[in-house]
């Protein structure tokens, strides 16, 4: 090893799902929303000119923070915004997990958590999900340096009852508990209502899934004013201008269209429940996902084989070659037409 190499931060980066180059792929591998953003976003886009780009954006992203605060009936000082919830979560890890004690998150969960822990040199432990892939709340009733988990969890899609989340909070008053609600709008109950009671709670959400704007990169978090101030101090010590002006304006436009948002989420939920019936007929079993994806295993066809066959047919889903889940596929809920194409292929491939 060369001398200078010894001082390099060594990390194993997160591997995102594949973004195919070719057209005509049915893309069910990264939990994007198959529907376009609200027409209000298109309108706001038409109103933008290159003048928007000449100046620096508002570092406080006030327009977006105010819009989120108004929609969710909290004070703007309780809202933090970032470049997707990945940015928000990374800032939260950096800001809140500094005790030197291990932070806790499930063994099967969003695979970015251990990457950030590695990057920021935060020790961590991963309590195992039970055999039904549920988070066991009692595993989080012990000394730790902080807690993070998604609700619904990914890639299982299972939601944790709010009463269990509150029990975890009750047992962990001295550390920050982050609830990552990337998929909450597709069926789970948000922990937002617990904010007034627990000043150590941070609730993180995103525009990437339920608001159909993964490409715009907008994420946000709710917390008490002190937590949000600490997050902003760290953010402004790193890069003042993370959110670009387009993301701020178009994000604010998306939040204001409540009707479109509810309708899009309803369509995804309906397609997901229909998919559960159809996939069961095809010999799949799965968790009772409340997210915009299904986590499925087949009675006879190995997941890895099916993943390859689907890919060859131009249908992309996600396969994780990891312990306990290496015979499962995560399938994003697409439009009804995309899902029909998936069932057609499966019927033929599995001879059902
Ligand atoms: N949390 C979870 C659980 C996720 O699955 C994702 C999507 N990859 C994210 C956060 C980050 O999404 P984004 O940065 O697009 O908001």
């Amino acid at each position: 090893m060369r001398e200078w190499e010894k001082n390099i931060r060594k990390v194993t980066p997160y591997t995102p799902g594949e973004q195919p180059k070719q057209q005509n792929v049915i893309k069910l591998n990264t939990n994007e929303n198959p529907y376009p953003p609200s027409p209000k976003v298109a309108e706001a886009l038409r109103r933008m000119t290159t003048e928007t780009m000449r100046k620096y954006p508002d570092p406080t992203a006030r327009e977006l923070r105010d819009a989120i605060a108004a929609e969710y009936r909290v004070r703007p000082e309780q809202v933090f915004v970032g470049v997707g919830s990945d940015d928000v979560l990374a800032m939260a890890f950096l800001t809140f997990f500094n005790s030197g004690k291990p932070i806790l998150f499930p063994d099967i969960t969003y695979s970015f958590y251990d990457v950030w822990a590695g990057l920021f040199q935060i020790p961590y432990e991963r309590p195992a999900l039970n055999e039904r892939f549920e988070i066991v709340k009692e595993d989080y009733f012990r000394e730790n340096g902080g807690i993070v988990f998604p609700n619904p969890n990914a890639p299982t899609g299972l939601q944790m009852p709010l009463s269990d989340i509150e029990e975890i909070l009750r047992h962990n008053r001295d550390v920050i508990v982050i609830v990552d609600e990337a998929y909450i709008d597709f069926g789970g109950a948000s922990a937002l209502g617990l904010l007034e009671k627990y000043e150590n709670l941070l609730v993180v959400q995103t525009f990437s899934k339920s608001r159909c704007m993964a490409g715009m990169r907008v994420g946000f978090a709710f917390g008490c004013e002190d937590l949000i101030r600490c997050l902003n101090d760290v953010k402004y010590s790193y890069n003042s201008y993370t959110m670009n002006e387009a993301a701020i304006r178009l994000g604010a436009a998306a939040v204001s269209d409540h009707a479109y948002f509810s309708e899009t989420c309803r369509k995804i939920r309906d397609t997901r429940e229909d998919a559960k019936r159809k996939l069961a007929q095809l010999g799949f079993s799965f968790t009772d996902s409340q997210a915009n994806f299904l986590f499925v295993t087949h009675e006879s066809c190995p997941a890895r084989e099916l993943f390859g066959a689907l890919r060859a047919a131009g249908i992309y889903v996600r396969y994780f070659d990891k312990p306990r889940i290496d015979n499962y596929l995560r399938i994003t809920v697409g439009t009804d037409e995309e899902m029909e194409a998936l069932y057609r292929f499966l019927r033929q491939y599995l001879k059902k």
Side-chain angles (χ1 to χ4, degrees):
M1 189 189 271
R2 288 158 293 186
E3 204 52 37
W4 53 265
E5 281 185 87
K6 290 184 187 152
N7 297 326
I8 290 176
R9 191 180 287 266
K10 311 269 182 331
V11 283
T12 312
Y14 172 74
T15 321
E18 189 176 352
Q19 294 293 345
K21 301 277 178 296
Q22 69 271 40
Q23 302 287 305
N24 301 326
V25 164
I26 296 184
K27 195 173 172 308
L28 308 175
N29 67 335
T30 52
N31 296 345
E32 288 137 341
N33 197 308
Y35 300 107
S38 148
K40 294 214 164 130
V41 174
E43 266 168 47
L45 184 61
R46 280 193 293 275
R47 283 196 302 272
M48 279 176 49
T49 65
T50 53
E51 179 62 8
T52 316
M53 298 169 204
R54 188 180 61 77
K55 292 181 292 177
Y56 283 110
D58 169 13
T60 69
R62 172 151 287 282
E63 184 183 344
L64 179 61
R65 283 179 78 178
D66 285 354
I68 294 170
E71 174 65 19
Y72 290 88
R73 298 192 173 84
V74 298
R75 294 180 292 283
E77 294 74 23
Q78 293 178 292
V79 181
F80 177 80
V81 293
V83 186
S85 56
D86 280 342
D87 179 45
V88 175
L89 287 161
M91 286 294 144
F93 272 54
L94 194 54
T95 309
F96 300 124
F97 295 158
N98 296 296
S99 70
K101 290 181 200 159
I103 63 165
L104 304 178
F105 51 83
D107 64 336
I108 299 167
T109 193
Y110 185 31
S111 47
F112 222 138
Y113 298 158
D114 53 354
V115 175
W116 287 314
L119 175 63
F120 301 135
Q121 301 177 350
I122 301 163
Y124 61 92
E125 285 169 16
R126 295 185 293 183
L129 300 184
N130 68 18
E131 70 289 352
R132 292 186 303 278
F133 286 146
E134 294 156 345
I135 294 176
V136 181
K137 60 176 189 283
E138 290 80 7
D139 290 343
Y140 298 81
F141 299 172
R142 58 175 151 114
E143 201 179 354
N144 63 70
I147 292 174
V148 55
F149 56 87
N151 191 45
N153 195 10
T156 64
L158 287 178
Q159 75 155 313
M160 201 189 215
L162 263 191
S163 52
D164 287 3
I165 294 180
E166 183 157 16
E167 262 194 80
I168 290 180
L169 281 159
R170 261 206 302 275
H171 281 84
N172 289 280
R173 301 239 179 211
D174 299 334
V175 295
I176 304 301
V177 177
I178 302 176
V179 184
D180 175 355
E181 296 191 337
Y183 303 103
I184 198 70
D185 299 317
F186 302 110
S190 174
L192 185 57
L194 297 173
L195 222 58
E196 291 304 319
K197 232 163 132 185
Y198 298 92
E199 60 180 14
N200 58 326
L201 166 65
L202 190 78
V203 177
V204 178
Q205 296 194 5
T206 179
F207 282 48
S208 298
K209 321 290 178 184
S210 53
R211 296 191 188 272
C212 323
M213 289 174 74
M216 203 24 84
R217 311 305 299 130
V218 183
F220 56 109
F222 301 109
C224 76
E225 293 180 17
D226 286 342
L227 282 198
I228 300 304
R229 196 174 314 113
C230 294
L231 269 173
N232 275 318
D233 284 348
V234 170
K235 174 200 161 142
Y236 296 140
S237 309
Y238 181 79
N239 179 352
S240 322
Y241 302 113
T242 56
M243 305 281 306
N244 68 63
E245 192 63 29
I248 293 170
R249 292 196 192 179
L250 303 183
V255 164
S256 71
D257 198 345
H258 193 85
Y260 184 86
F261 167 74
S262 323
E263 174 61 11
T264 312
C265 293
R266 188 196 55 76
K267 281 199 286 195
I268 298 284
R269 278 198 304 273
D270 287 353
T271 307
R272 177 189 70 210
E273 295 309 308
D274 184 51
K276 287 177 186 172
R277 289 184 287 273
K278 302 224 164 95
L279 290 170
Q281 285 162 8
L282 286 160
F284 287 93
S285 50
F286 37 79
T287 54
D288 187 21
S289 171
Q290 298 302 306
N292 68 335
F293 55 81
L294 293 141
F295 192 54
V296 308
T297 187
H298 192 260
E299 59 194 8
S300 58
C301 185
R304 185 198 295 269
E305 177 195 318
L306 200 48
F307 169 74
L310 282 162
R311 194 173 183 286
I315 302 175
Y316 283 38
V317 299
R318 192 86 195 258
Y319 174 69
F320 299 96
D321 194 2
K322 289 192 172 173
R324 295 183 72 191
I325 57 170
D326 58 359
N327 200 26
Y328 281 79
L329 295 176
R330 191 194 68 190
I331 306 175
T332 304
V333 175
T335 60
D336 286 329
E337 295 70 36
E338 288 173 324
M339 299 307 277
E340 280 308 326
L342 169 74
Y343 310 139
R344 259 198 312 279
F345 172 84
L346 290 173
R347 258 177 232 128
Q348 217 221 346
Y349 188 78
L350 301 165
K351 301 276 181 295
K352 288 267 179 182

Short mmCIF file of all heavy atoms in Angstrom, two decimals, residues 94-115:
data_model
loop_
_atom_site.label_atom_id
_atom_site.label_comp_id
_atom_site.label_asym_id
_atom_site.label_seq_id
_atom_site.Cartn_x
_atom_site.Cartn_y
_atom_site.Cartn_z
N LEU A 94 -25.32 12.37 10.64
CA LEU A 94 -24.15 13.19 10.97
C LEU A 94 -24.43 14.06 12.20
O LEU A 94 -23.56 14.27 13.04
CB LEU A 94 -23.85 14.06 9.75
CG LEU A 94 -22.52 14.79 9.64
CD1 LEU A 94 -21.34 13.85 9.80
CD2 LEU A 94 -22.43 15.49 8.27
N THR A 95 -25.65 14.57 12.30
CA THR A 95 -26.00 15.50 13.38
C THR A 95 -26.27 14.78 14.70
O THR A 95 -25.84 15.24 15.76
CB THR A 95 -27.28 16.30 12.99
OG1 THR A 95 -27.09 16.85 11.69
CG2 THR A 95 -27.56 17.41 13.99
N PHE A 96 -26.98 13.65 14.65
CA PHE A 96 -27.55 13.10 15.88
C PHE A 96 -26.85 11.85 16.43
O PHE A 96 -27.09 11.50 17.57
CB PHE A 96 -29.03 12.78 15.66
CG PHE A 96 -29.85 13.99 15.29
CD1 PHE A 96 -30.61 14.02 14.13
CD2 PHE A 96 -29.84 15.12 16.09
CE1 PHE A 96 -31.36 15.13 13.78
CE2 PHE A 96 -30.58 16.24 15.76
CZ PHE A 96 -31.33 16.25 14.60
N PHE A 97 -26.06 11.18 15.60
CA PHE A 97 -25.50 9.90 16.06
C PHE A 97 -24.01 10.04 16.39
O PHE A 97 -23.16 9.53 15.67
CB PHE A 97 -25.76 8.82 15.01
CG PHE A 97 -27.22 8.50 14.77
CD1 PHE A 97 -27.64 7.91 13.58
CD2 PHE A 97 -28.19 8.75 15.73
CE1 PHE A 97 -28.98 7.60 13.34
CE2 PHE A 97 -29.54 8.45 15.51
CZ PHE A 97 -29.93 7.87 14.32
N ASN A 98 -23.74 10.72 17.50
CA ASN A 98 -22.34 11.00 17.84
C ASN A 98 -21.95 10.52 19.23
O ASN A 98 -20.96 10.97 19.79
CB ASN A 98 -22.09 12.52 17.75
CG ASN A 98 -22.26 13.02 16.33
OD1 ASN A 98 -21.51 12.63 15.44
ND2 ASN A 98 -23.26 13.84 16.10
N SER A 99 -22.72 9.61 19.81
CA SER A 99 -22.45 9.24 21.21
C SER A 99 -21.31 8.24 21.33
O SER A 99 -20.78 8.04 22.42
CB SER A 99 -23.70 8.62 21.83
OG SER A 99 -23.92 7.35 21.23
N GLY A 100 -20.94 7.59 20.24
CA GLY A 100 -19.94 6.52 20.32
C GLY A 100 -20.59 5.17 20.64
O GLY A 100 -19.99 4.12 20.48
N LYS A 101 -21.86 5.20 21.10
CA LYS A 101 -22.58 3.94 21.36
C LYS A 101 -23.22 3.46 20.06
O LYS A 101 -23.55 4.29 19.20
CB LYS A 101 -23.69 4.17 22.39
CG LYS A 101 -23.18 4.45 23.77
CD LYS A 101 -24.35 4.64 24.72
CE LYS A 101 -23.90 5.39 25.95
NZ LYS A 101 -25.01 6.04 26.64
N PRO A 102 -23.43 2.15 19.92
CA PRO A 102 -24.01 1.67 18.66
C PRO A 102 -25.43 2.18 18.44
O PRO A 102 -26.25 2.17 19.37
CB PRO A 102 -24.00 0.15 18.79
CG PRO A 102 -23.61 -0.16 20.19
CD PRO A 102 -23.10 1.07 20.86
N ILE A 103 -25.71 2.62 17.24
CA ILE A 103 -27.09 2.93 16.87
C ILE A 103 -27.75 1.61 16.46
O ILE A 103 -27.07 0.62 16.16
CB ILE A 103 -27.17 3.98 15.74
CG1 ILE A 103 -26.53 3.47 14.43
CG2 ILE A 103 -26.54 5.28 16.18
CD1 ILE A 103 -26.90 4.30 13.21
N LEU A 104 -29.07 1.60 16.47
CA LEU A 104 -29.81 0.37 16.18
C LEU A 104 -30.70 0.55 14.95
O LEU A 104 -31.39 1.56 14.84
CB LEU A 104 -30.71 -0.02 17.36
CG LEU A 104 -30.05 -0.20 18.74
CD1 LEU A 104 -31.11 -0.54 19.79
CD2 LEU A 104 -28.99 -1.30 18.70
N PHE A 105 -30.64 -0.43 14.05
CA PHE A 105 -31.63 -0.53 12.96
C PHE A 105 -31.76 -2.00 12.58
O PHE A 105 -30.87 -2.80 12.88
CB PHE A 105 -31.27 0.38 11.77
CG PHE A 105 -29.87 0.26 11.23
CD1 PHE A 105 -29.51 -0.73 10.34
CD2 PHE A 105 -28.90 1.17 11.64
CE1 PHE A 105 -28.22 -0.81 9.83
CE2 PHE A 105 -27.59 1.09 11.15
CZ PHE A 105 -27.25 0.11 10.24
N PRO A 106 -32.89 -2.39 11.94
CA PRO A 106 -33.14 -3.81 11.69
C PRO A 106 -32.11 -4.44 10.75
O PRO A 106 -31.47 -3.75 9.95
CB PRO A 106 -34.52 -3.82 11.02
CG PRO A 106 -35.12 -2.48 11.31
CD PRO A 106 -34.00 -1.52 11.47
N ASP A 107 -31.97 -5.78 10.84
CA ASP A 107 -31.01 -6.48 9.96
C ASP A 107 -31.47 -6.42 8.50
O ASP A 107 -30.65 -6.34 7.59
CB ASP A 107 -30.79 -7.94 10.40
CG ASP A 107 -32.03 -8.82 10.31
OD1 ASP A 107 -33.17 -8.29 10.34
OD2 ASP A 107 -31.88 -10.06 10.21
N ILE A 108 -32.80 -6.43 8.31
CA ILE A 108 -33.32 -6.32 6.95
C ILE A 108 -34.04 -4.99 6.87
O ILE A 108 -35.11 -4.80 7.48
CB ILE A 108 -34.27 -7.49 6.63
CG1 ILE A 108 -33.51 -8.81 6.73
CG2 ILE A 108 -34.91 -7.32 5.25
CD1 ILE A 108 -34.40 -10.03 6.73
N THR A 109 -33.44 -4.05 6.16
CA THR A 109 -34.02 -2.72 6.06
C THR A 109 -33.38 -1.97 4.91
O THR A 109 -32.68 -2.56 4.08
CB THR A 109 -33.87 -1.97 7.41
OG1 THR A 109 -34.71 -0.81 7.39
CG2 THR A 109 -32.44 -1.52 7.68
N TYR A 110 -33.61 -0.66 4.86
CA TYR A 110 -33.04 0.17 3.80
C TYR A 110 -31.52 0.04 3.84
O TYR A 110 -30.89 0.32 4.87
CB TYR A 110 -33.49 1.61 4.00
CG TYR A 110 -33.07 2.56 2.91
CD1 TYR A 110 -32.93 2.13 1.59
CD2 TYR A 110 -32.84 3.90 3.19
CE1 TYR A 110 -32.57 3.01 0.59
CE2 TYR A 110 -32.49 4.79 2.19
CZ TYR A 110 -32.34 4.33 0.89
OH TYR A 110 -31.98 5.21 -0.10
N SER A 111 -30.94 -0.34 2.72
CA SER A 111 -29.52 -0.71 2.76
C SER A 111 -28.57 0.49 2.69
O SER A 111 -27.38 0.32 2.53
CB SER A 111 -29.20 -1.73 1.67
OG SER A 111 -29.76 -1.31 0.45
N PHE A 112 -29.11 1.69 2.87
CA PHE A 112 -28.24 2.86 2.96
C PHE A 112 -27.80 3.12 4.42
O PHE A 112 -26.80 3.79 4.67
CB PHE A 112 -28.94 4.12 2.42
CG PHE A 112 -28.05 5.00 1.56
CD1 PHE A 112 -28.53 5.57 0.39
CD2 PHE A 112 -26.74 5.26 1.91
CE1 PHE A 112 -27.73 6.38 -0.41
CE2 PHE A 112 -25.93 6.08 1.11
CZ PHE A 112 -26.42 6.64 -0.04
N TYR A 113 -28.56 2.59 5.41
CA TYR A 113 -28.25 2.93 6.80
C TYR A 113 -26.83 2.48 7.19
O TYR A 113 -26.08 3.24 7.80
CB TYR A 113 -29.26 2.30 7.77
CG TYR A 113 -30.69 2.76 7.60
CD1 TYR A 113 -31.75 1.98 8.08
CD2 TYR A 113 -31.02 3.97 7.00
CE1 TYR A 113 -33.07 2.38 7.97
CE2 TYR A 113 -32.33 4.39 6.86
CZ TYR A 113 -33.36 3.58 7.34
OH TYR A 113 -34.67 3.98 7.21
N ASP A 114 -26.49 1.24 6.83
CA ASP A 114 -25.14 0.79 7.22
C ASP A 114 -24.06 1.51 6.41
O ASP A 114 -22.94 1.66 6.87
CB ASP A 114 -25.01 -0.74 7.16
CG ASP A 114 -25.42 -1.34 5.85
OD1 ASP A 114 -25.92 -0.60 4.99
OD2 ASP A 114 -25.22 -2.55 5.67
N VAL A 115 -24.42 2.01 5.22
CA VAL A 115 -23.44 2.76 4.42
C VAL A 115 -23.13 4.11 5.10
O VAL A 115 -21.97 4.49 5.26
CB VAL A 115 -23.97 2.97 2.98
CG1 VAL A 115 -23.03 3.86 2.19
CG2 VAL A 115 -24.16 1.63 2.28
#
